[in-house]
Amino acid sequence: MIKKILFSVAVFTGSLFFAQKAKVYESPNYSINVPEGWKSTNDSEIVNIFPTSEIGAITISEYHGLELPKEQMKKFVLDLNKSTDPENKVKESRSKKGYTEYFYEYFDEKGKLYWITKAFQKDKDLYLITINCGQKFWNGNYMTQFNEAFNSFKIKK
């Protein structure tokens, strides 16, 4: 019994030791976890979060009072990536707080970049969050850090 308790404590302590540390980037309308050692900038309300090696970035922008009909959102997401993919490649789902979530993954052959886009739309509000990362870095730890930060994005209202 004591061996089981010691083993459990060791596993728990080890998982805390190896877990990625992150700080929280707070805006009035959303939050996102920023991996330890990464930088964040806010240029005219467009937030960029990136590793110091600058091999890619997460970009967040928000728009309010935007007249973009829901029927045009998939085309809008494809146009952002200059993609000729059919609109059914953009996945649509309902998310919490009444937002419609759009998700799209794209590999830019010319630039050798992975792009992942999420858009959250409700009425005239739109939150746009993207990852771009060089192909040769999109593996292992960078991919994990990008995805963990990306998936931690939360709209507050």
Side-chain angles (χ1 to χ4, degrees):
M1 180 68 170
I2 291 177
K3 287 182 181 179
K4 287 183 181 180
I5 292 171
L6 288 175
F7 178 75
S8 296
V9 169
V11 168
F12 178 73
T13 305
S15 67
L16 289 176
F17 179 75
F18 289 108
Q20 243 350 292
K21 294 180 182 177
K23 60 184 176 190
V24 178
Y25 180 94
E26 295 276 348
S27 95
N29 297 320
Y30 64 85
S31 66
I32 187 170
N33 294 339
V34 178
E36 187 174 312
W38 286 32
K39 296 179 181 180
S40 59
T41 62
N42 185 334
D43 303 310
S44 302
E45 298 307 310
I46 296 175
V47 173
N48 289 291
I49 299 167
F50 51 92
T52 55
S53 61
E54 298 184 18
I55 51 86
I58 295 173
T59 302
I60 305 166
S61 51
E62 62 180 293
Y63 306 91
H64 304 284
L66 184 66
E67 296 284 345
L68 182 61
K70 184 177 176 183
E71 301 77 36
Q72 293 181 14
M73 271 303 297
K74 288 184 177 186
K75 183 176 178 348
F76 173 76
V77 169
L78 292 170
D79 287 347
L80 285 173
N81 292 285
K82 298 182 178 99
S83 172
T84 58
D85 282 345
E87 288 184 17
N88 67 357
K89 293 278 185 162
V90 179
K91 304 301 178 206
E92 178 182 342
S93 63
R94 298 294 293 168
S95 66
K96 294 177 184 174
K97 301 182 183 181
Y99 285 86
T100 302
E101 180 180 334
Y102 300 88
F103 179 82
Y104 178 64
E105 291 181 273
Y106 175 71
F107 179 69
D108 176 3
E109 291 282 345
K110 186 177 178 185
K112 300 294 184 205
L113 289 172
Y114 280 101
W115 287 91
I116 301 174
T117 302
K118 278 187 185 179
F120 299 88
Q121 183 186 36
K122 179 172 137 182
D123 302 324
K124 294 181 181 181
D125 292 335
L126 176 67
Y127 294 87
L128 187 62
I129 176 170
T130 62
I131 294 175
N132 72 72
C133 184
Q135 177 185 17
K136 68 181 184 176
F137 301 104
W138 189 249
N139 59 32
N141 196 40
Y142 277 122
M143 181 177 69
T144 300
Q145 288 180 313
F146 273 112
N147 281 319
E148 285 176 357
F150 192 69
N151 292 327
S152 74
F153 178 81
K154 302 267 187 289
I155 298 171
K156 293 180 179 178
K157 55 180 184 168

